[in-house]
Amino acid sequence: MSDGRKPYIAGNWKMNLDRSKALDLIKTIKGRLGDGNDREVAVFAPSVYLADVSAVAQGSPLGVGAQNMYYEPGGAFTGELCGTMLREVGADRVLVGHSERRHVFGEPDEWMSRKIRAALRDSLLPVLCVGERLEERKGNKTDRVLKKQLESALIDLQADEVRRLTIAYEPVWAIGTGEVATPDQAAAAHAFIRKWIAQKLGAESGEAIRILYGGSVSPDNVKALMALDDVDGVLVGGASLKPDLFLPIIEYDS
Ligand code: PGA
């Protein structure tokens, strides 16, 4: 964590919680949040709950985001949602390229740059997720995979747009498995991503961009992760569903 970058703690609820549990959870988080000056906190809720969740979050510094969007501005795309729809129900940010979108639903790398463009056009703050699979890590291909994912997603990005972008490094083998990346593994991947951004989009962008770690984050490992120079926040799946796990993560002591 560097002094210049505000810690960003985000929960990704995925396809979990019913409406009343989602509302209880957001109320609890809101009740415990400070003024938001020292850390940014957000939840990525199922789209059907966004209106209700954002209504509760209103008036607090809590961010509310969608877990996915399509890149077209509207039209015959059954089952999809565009950025303006998500904004209308209170989302201010969106995940792009989460590993479950890439690997369970087969979204191709080429979509990610279009989604980032669409998110920026529709005034949503994108969080681009990148990360390697186990066989890629075992085959020493982590850097190659990250480079390919970054290159294809950020191909059109201008340096002045980078300040609205966040990156989440989420090794696929660490998601939902209880197996968190070691500090060395996380440090190396985050440093690689920051260097790539600095080279392609300028030193200032490299210094400013926040890079979150995701994959089995828990109250037990958040402090060690956040102590790493290039880790600016965490994207939390399973542990974001329970206040007794998510609140200590939000309130980790730096
Ligand atoms: P996890 O999920 O914390 O349950 O591993 C992280 C994510 O998929 O964003």
Side-chain angles (χ1 to χ4, degrees), residues 197-216:
I197 299 277
Q199 276 166 359
K200 296 285 172 180
L201 294 154
E204 212 176 300
S205 298
E207 193 47 44
I209 195 158
R210 287 182 296 179
I211 307 172
L212 317 184
Y213 169 81
S216 297

Side-chain angles (χ1 to χ4, degrees), residues 67-132:
Q67 298 169 10
N68 184 31
M69 67 179 286
Y70 195 50
Y71 53 78
E72 292 291 349
F77 301 102
T78 302
E80 291 295 324
L81 299 169
C82 60
T84 50
M85 292 172 176
L86 298 172
R87 272 216 68 87
E88 220 176 352
V89 289
D92 65 357
R93 61 199 71 202
V94 63
L95 297 180
V96 171
H98 187 275
S99 88
E100 284 138 29
R101 297 306 318 169
R102 293 177 191 264
H103 302 305
V104 181
F105 297 99
E107 290 195 7
D109 280 355
E110 310 80 80
W111 282 15
M112 305 318 161
S113 63
R114 297 179 210 163
K115 288 185 180 218
I116 287 172
R117 284 246 68 76
L120 294 171
R121 176 193 66 212
D122 296 332
S123 305
L124 291 164
L125 300 165
V127 177
L128 172 71
C129 305
V130 295
E132 80 289 359

Side-chain angles (χ1 to χ4, degrees), residues 175-193:
I175 295 178
T177 58
E179 194 186 340
V180 65
T182 64
D184 281 355
Q185 289 170 327
H190 282 240
F192 178 86
I193 293 168

